[in-house]
Amino acid sequence: MKKECVLVSGGAGYIGSHTAVELIEAGYDVVIADNLSNSDFGAVEGVRKITGVEVPFVEVDCCDREALKTKLFEQYEFQSVIHFAAFKAVGESVQKPLEYYRNNLTSLMNILDLMREFGRQNIVFSSSCTVYGEPDKQPVTELTPRKPATSPYGNTKTMCEDILRDTVRATPALKGIALRYFNPIGAHPTALIGELPRGVPQNLVPFVTQTAAGIRECLSVFGNDYPTPDGSNIRDYIDVVDLARAHVVAITRMIEGKNKQPYEVFNVGTGNGVSVLELVRRFEEANGLKLNYKIADRREGDIIAIWADPTLANEELGWQAKRNLDDTLRSAWAWEKHVRGIE
Ligand code: UD1
């Protein structure tokens, strides 16, 4: 039987590359598309090495509709798309709102437009818990009201969810699932792919691992006077391989026609809230090292706390986060050591 093919846009990125691996291991053919604007071809090589499959790679910008059409839609017979390609730096989006709105909205709209033109059927979209803003109640379910996000980046996620929902509603042949990720961390157990931030990392775990590697002098914990048990922010840290598996389950649900609605939304988190200080302590214990850190001022735009109620994904998708936080933090450190050539 011919294998189903899935287009992974942004497949050279952090979550995209892990998802490509899980798709291939689940028996799918994969095409990776990426403009390499914030990713590295090495990730594609990592995917090929882990899976032993010469995954096709197309260098293309999803904002270029004509190139998408001629290089991808006319060349490959995928019925399904997992759309990761987007800008994702919260702080940068405040400085460059137009770039963020243009890039993130245009790329999704081009993909949807071409899916309609070519009769392609299923799409999973990378959304974020940022659509809940600062929630009034924890944990958040999919019915928790969305609130204005604290950044243009966050707003693009809300807008893209609406673009997807309305396009699915207007296109009988199209089905879509938005996955609202909590905080993805960690790396593949082989340490052949992982998160590779350019410049100074903005996210917590890459900053932690770079500090442990001696590249950064000291981690700043942004605030210890929040109304939380230890005063630092609380997040739901989800292992990137667990998150990647959620995409495989979501796309399979639509391919097999098991979705209950043409457009569905799922939280992808563990259900556990972990504070920044707790994460630092767990990182030290799991890896048997000491991290240089200090308490610093709050970071503008940070929300106090958010964690997921993942019941819907557990029950409807049959998906659950499996890897425990210590293993995930060990994988993050193993990846950093691999990148830096540390024994
Ligand atoms: C943000 C976005 C999320 C996005 C993600 C990826 C919001 C609410 N969330 O997550 O949607 O997908 O970025 O870019 O907009 N911290 C430190 N020191 C550091 C770095 C971080 O203390 O050097 C703390 C932060 O204050 C925060 C926690 O660590 O409490 C996690 O931060 P980060 O990894 O940047 O993710 P979010 O801001 O939660």
Side-chain angles (χ1 to χ4, degrees), residues 92-200:
E92 184 185 60
S93 78
V94 177
Q95 306 303 321
K96 301 179 176 173
L98 284 178
E99 282 86 341
Y100 270 68
Y101 289 117
R102 185 184 298 119
N103 184 66
N104 291 5
L105 271 57
T106 306
S107 59
L108 175 67
M109 289 192 290
N110 282 343
I111 293 268
L112 288 172
D113 199 24
L114 287 163
M115 287 181 77
R116 280 167 62 113
E117 189 179 323
F118 284 77
R120 311 292 166 92
Q121 291 165 333
N122 314 304
I123 176 164
V124 173
F125 172 68
S126 301
S127 189
S128 165
C129 68
T130 193
V131 302
Y132 298 115
E134 180 84 64
D136 297 324
K137 238 176 54 193
Q138 306 286 354
V140 292
T141 75
E142 291 76 359
L143 297 175
T144 299
R146 294 186 314 183
K147 284 187 181 175
T150 48
S151 69
Y153 156 79
N155 287 329
T156 69
K157 293 296 175 192
T158 309
M159 290 174 178
C160 283
E161 283 192 357
D162 291 347
I163 290 169
L164 177 58
R165 181 200 60 209
D166 294 346
T167 308
V168 166
R169 195 177 278 164
T171 316
L174 194 66
K175 291 177 269 188
I177 291 180
L179 296 180
R180 291 179 179 157
Y181 315 154
F182 285 69
N183 287 54
I185 61 165
H188 196 265
T190 58
L192 290 170
I193 50 173
E195 191 169 7
L196 205 59
R198 292 195 178 165
V200 182

Side-chain angles (χ1 to χ4, degrees), residues 146-289:
R146 294 186 314 183
K147 284 187 181 175
T150 48
S151 69
Y153 156 79
N155 287 329
T156 69
K157 293 296 175 192
T158 309
M159 290 174 178
C160 283
E161 283 192 357
D162 291 347
I163 290 169
L164 177 58
R165 181 200 60 209
D166 294 346
T167 308
V168 166
R169 195 177 278 164
T171 316
L174 194 66
K175 291 177 269 188
I177 291 180
L179 296 180
R180 291 179 179 157
Y181 315 154
F182 285 69
N183 287 54
I185 61 165
H188 196 265
T190 58
L192 290 170
I193 50 173
E195 191 169 7
L196 205 59
R198 292 195 178 165
V200 182
Q202 304 300 307
N203 294 114
L204 178 61
V205 170
F207 206 105
V208 164
T209 56
Q210 289 198 9
T211 306
I215 295 154
R216 310 284 154 203
E217 208 172 302
C218 181
L219 167 77
S220 291
V221 172
F222 297 140
N224 69 346
D225 56 354
Y226 283 101
T228 59
D230 67 17
S232 63
N233 290 149
I234 296 177
R235 298 288 185 271
D236 183 335
Y237 295 95
I238 169 84
D239 183 271
V240 69
V241 177
D242 280 334
L243 175 57
R245 283 192 301 105
H247 293 79
V248 177
V249 175
I251 208 77
T252 304
R253 177 179 174 89
M254 292 187 281
I255 290 170
E256 293 180 349
K258 292 192 174 139
N259 49 305
K260 298 234 168 99
Q261 304 287 336
Y263 172 69
E264 296 177 314
V265 177
F266 296 99
N267 284 343
V268 189
T270 66
N272 301 318
V274 174
S275 76
V276 176
L277 288 168
E278 207 178 329
L279 186 119
V280 169
R281 190 178 49 74
R282 292 281 290 274
F283 179 83
E284 291 180 325
E285 282 175 16
N287 292 298
L289 46 80

